[in-house]
Amino acid sequence: MRVFRKSTRRAAAAAVCGLLAAAALPMGSANAAGGAGGASAVVGSAAAATATAAAPPVPERYRAQLLGWHPCASGPLECATMAVPRDWYHPDAGPDLSVEVSRHRSTDPDRRLGVLMMAAGGPGASGLGRPAGLADYSPKLAAAYDIVGFDQRGVGASTHVVCSGQDTVDALFGSGDLRDRSPQALRRSVERARDFVKDCVRNSGGLLPYITTDQAVHDMDLYRQLLGAAKISYFGPSYATVLGAYYATEFPQRVDRVVLDSNVDFSGDWQSFMLRQPMSFQRRYEQDFLPWLAANDATYHQGRTPAEARASYERLRAALRDHPLDIEGTVVTPNHLDVAATDAMYNARGRFEGFAQLLGVLQHPDQAPDPVRAAVAARLKHLMGAGFVADYFAVTCGDTAWTRDSRYWLEQSAEATRTHPLAGARELTFATICANWPRNKTPRVKVTGAGLPPALMLNSTNDPATYYEGAVRAHRALTGSRLVTVDGGDHGQYQNHNACVDAHVESYLLEGALPAEGARCPGAPLPGGPA
């Protein structure tokens, strides 16, 4: 990692501050949006909901529609398309959107308890196929519930956001070294982020202000109505915990049992949550992955202590910075390495071993067999899918009014890069995108738990993406909830083959039985024996 003196860092900040200030202009500006006409139309049509407004009654044309169920393209599910208003607060303004929905019918109608709705994380992941996976994992739940899913507005088979092509996204996150704090590198990061937002505004046809969690939960409630269910139960992991908490807050009388797994801190906003995330990725890396890698040095040869294993990573990273590695046409940079590392932190089983093997291939590419080199090239070629990235920023930027102070983000990202470099180096890119995102007037939902039955929450202590401290704050905000603490660091607890967690979730969803306050479960053992 390059080290700059304070004076050099100040010079870099001064050199790029003007550019950041221009990049953070309101989106009605021609300079910020690449054309005042399209951007002004977005902002003008974003006079959707105020923080105190309530959505009007659902128009009859939406409530009267019939879901035309048919076999999904793959898997044992039925699919249908649901029409929803673009803006629930002005349902007669703008074109309708389509939301693709799915269903796995109860396998034992005589024991059926109702509807279990599930959603996907991300934001940006597809939820359409999720009911099949849950039904296969838990035949008990498949018997007791119609398990239903959907692609959230903005995602996948539903009306979705269009931003940049895959090449642009690859350059945004994979080109160069995001730890580089030189004026030239900062300028490139800011320009790419600003151009990405311009493309989103230009290509999404005024859709961006309406791809929010609040709008999505109104889609969920229409789906409930069309299913003929007075109430629903709910299961959601990761970002889907925000969807579940918001739905329960806005429609408490329509909720039965709620499971929130690996919780985003929905007591705050996306900016405060994302500012703390580099810490949790670094913690998982240093407290779980590096000790495991050192304990398995006989297999992976990265060092016999965590400090040696970390030094091995940094040597490889420095080598990729000075001489990017061409593997089967994929040029591997330090950013590729960091993204692969953060991805590996999510779940130890399968990912720790795969990333440790990847390190060896990148260190000694000439010794790797051709099929292995081809597999590595394919894995690293596209770090993040363009569709997922567009959907992710549509929600995380659209839900929250991010700070637009350029100096703040320069200083904040410099500190994050220094203290938590694994994920902190990307902070300037993420923040610049959201600082330039079109403003909207989506309601700011305050989760309280008022009027709700107790919810079941799950979180591991070293979860890299949804850190435990945030889950505790969310638990305190959601009055009456019970939090099961899982030792370890995996992201996503239910369906992770943890018998203790599975018993708590299924007892609650099938019988309404909640664990005692302060309940804990052991985490899944790390792979490879000695760690």
Side-chain angles (χ1 to χ4, degrees):
M1 177 180 177
R2 294 176 181 173
V3 179
F4 295 97
R5 296 181 183 274
K6 289 184 178 179
S7 59
T8 306
R9 290 198 296 269
R10 284 196 296 269
V16 81
C17 245
L19 175 63
L20 270 172
L25 288 172
M27 292 306 296
S29 160
N31 287 336
S40 295
V42 170
V43 175
S45 64
T50 67
T52 58
V58 179
E60 174 66 17
R61 67 181 182 277
Y62 297 111
R63 290 187 287 111
Q65 65 182 304
L66 299 176
L67 295 176
W69 294 108
H70 58 271
C72 294
S74 61
L77 299 176
E78 298 173 291
C79 284
T81 302
M82 178 175 71
V84 301
R86 183 178 69 166
D87 178 6
W88 277 101
Y89 297 89
H90 298 89
D92 294 323
D96 285 351
L97 309 183
S98 63
V99 172
E100 197 74 8
V101 299
S102 63
R103 175 174 66 178
H104 185 285
R105 289 181 179 271
S106 163
T107 59
D108 190 346
D110 292 337
R111 295 167 52 198
R112 181 180 177 275
L113 297 176
V115 171
L116 176 61
M117 186 176 291
M118 59 187 306
S126 171
L128 201 62
R130 300 292 175 102
L134 181 58
D136 182 65
Y137 187 83
S138 177
K140 292 179 182 179
L141 293 182
Y145 288 98
D146 288 344
I147 305 174
V148 303
F150 58 97
D151 272 358
Q152 181 180 335
R153 60 166 59 203
V155 173
S158 298
T159 302
H160 56 271
V161 175
V162 178
C163 287
S164 299
Q166 188 62 56
D167 289 346
T168 301
V169 171
D170 290 345
L172 190 65
F173 294 103
S175 178
D177 181 1
L178 289 177
R179 289 194 201 174
D180 185 350
R181 302 294 299 180
S182 67
Q184 297 83 358
L186 293 173
R187 181 177 292 274
R188 281 194 300 270
S189 293
V190 170
E191 286 176 340
R192 286 170 176 155
R194 181 191 60 193
D195 290 344
F196 174 81
V197 178
K198 285 183 182 179
D199 286 346
C200 293
V201 172
R202 182 168 51 248
N203 296 332
S204 290
L207 183 62
L208 297 184
Y210 308 103
I211 306 302
T212 67
T213 302
D214 170 70
Q215 295 279 356
V217 300
H218 286 82
D219 298 344
M220 291 165 60
D221 197 57
L222 176 62
Y223 188 18
R224 174 200 62 79
Q225 292 180 62
L226 298 183
L227 289 168
K231 293 186 176 184
I232 60 167
S233 292
Y234 179 84
F235 168 71
S238 196
Y239 162 66
T241 62
V242 183
L243 280 169
Y246 277 29
Y247 182 84
T249 297
E250 298 194 52
F251 303 100
Q253 72 278 17
R254 296 164 190 168
V255 168
D256 189 4
R257 299 166 187 173
V258 176
V259 179
L260 305 177
D261 182 351
S262 302
N263 295 263
V264 173
D265 180 11
F266 45 73
S267 70
D269 61 19
W270 281 108
Q271 178 172 311
S272 60
F273 176 77
M274 295 297 290
L275 282 173
R276 298 182 179 97
Q277 202 180 56
M279 172 277 297
S280 52
F281 273 101
Q282 198 74 28
R283 177 170 62 193
R284 170 71 155 163
Y285 173 68
E286 293 179 354
Q287 295 185 8
D288 291 343
F289 177 72
L290 290 178
W292 171 86
L293 189 60
N296 289 280
D297 180 59
T299 301
Y300 301 111
H301 313 294
Q302 297 296 317
R304 291 174 293 179
T305 67
E308 290 179 355
R310 180 173 184 167
S312 180
Y313 180 93
E314 291 298 325
R315 283 194 299 272
L316 173 59
R317 196 183 188 285
L320 293 173
R321 178 195 65 210
D322 296 337
H323 302 285
L325 180 63
D326 189 329
I327 297 185
E328 307 296 326
T330 296
V331 179
V332 183
T333 69
N335 291 337
H336 287 85
L337 186 64
D338 287 347
V339 172
T342 54
D343 180 69
M345 296 306 106
Y346 278 85
N347 293 89
R349 185 184 293 111
R351 298 202 187 193
F352 275 19
E353 293 169 311
F355 182 62
Q357 293 165 358
L358 176 67
L359 292 174
V361 173
L362 294 179
Q363 288 163 338
H364 306 287
D366 294 339
Q367 299 177 17
D370 289 343
V372 172
R373 288 167 54 88
V376 167
R379 176 180 174 184
L380 297 180
K381 184 175 181 61
H382 301 308
L383 296 173
M384 300 181 187
F388 179 89
V389 168
D391 302 329
Y392 175 88
F393 284 111
V395 174
T396 56
C397 302
D399 275 4
T400 296
W402 284 66
T403 297
R404 299 202 172 197
D405 181 345
S406 57
R407 190 172 297 277
Y408 172 80
W409 288 120
L410 282 169
E411 294 173 353
Q412 176 64 42
S413 62
E415 180 66 10
T417 301
R418 184 183 67 82
T419 57
H420 305 116
L422 197 68
R426 70 189 187 188
E427 189 166 279
L428 182 61
T429 297
F430 278 57
T432 303
I433 290 173
C434 284
N436 280 272
W437 205 257
R439 294 293 202 204
N440 62 56
K441 295 184 179 180
T442 187
R444 308 304 174 193
V445 178
K446 181 176 177 59
V447 175
T448 65
L452 288 174
L456 176 62
M457 301 175 68
L458 313 161
N459 225 93
S460 69
T461 52
N462 273 10
D463 189 315
T466 54
Y467 44 86
Y468 184 71
E469 297 86 346
V472 171
R473 285 191 291 271
H475 165 52
R476 290 171 180 162
L478 191 57
T479 304
S481 61
R482 298 286 175 85
L483 174 62
V484 175
T485 298
V486 182
D487 298 321
D490 280 354
H491 179 66
Q493 301 310 309
Y494 187 60
Q495 297 180 271
N496 198 30
H497 302 280
N498 185 319
C500 175
V501 168
D502 292 355
H504 283 311
V505 171
E506 292 176 4
S507 293
Y508 172 64
L509 287 176
L510 295 172
E511 303 163 16
L514 282 164
E517 288 282 358
R520 298 187 77 96
C521 284
L526 296 179

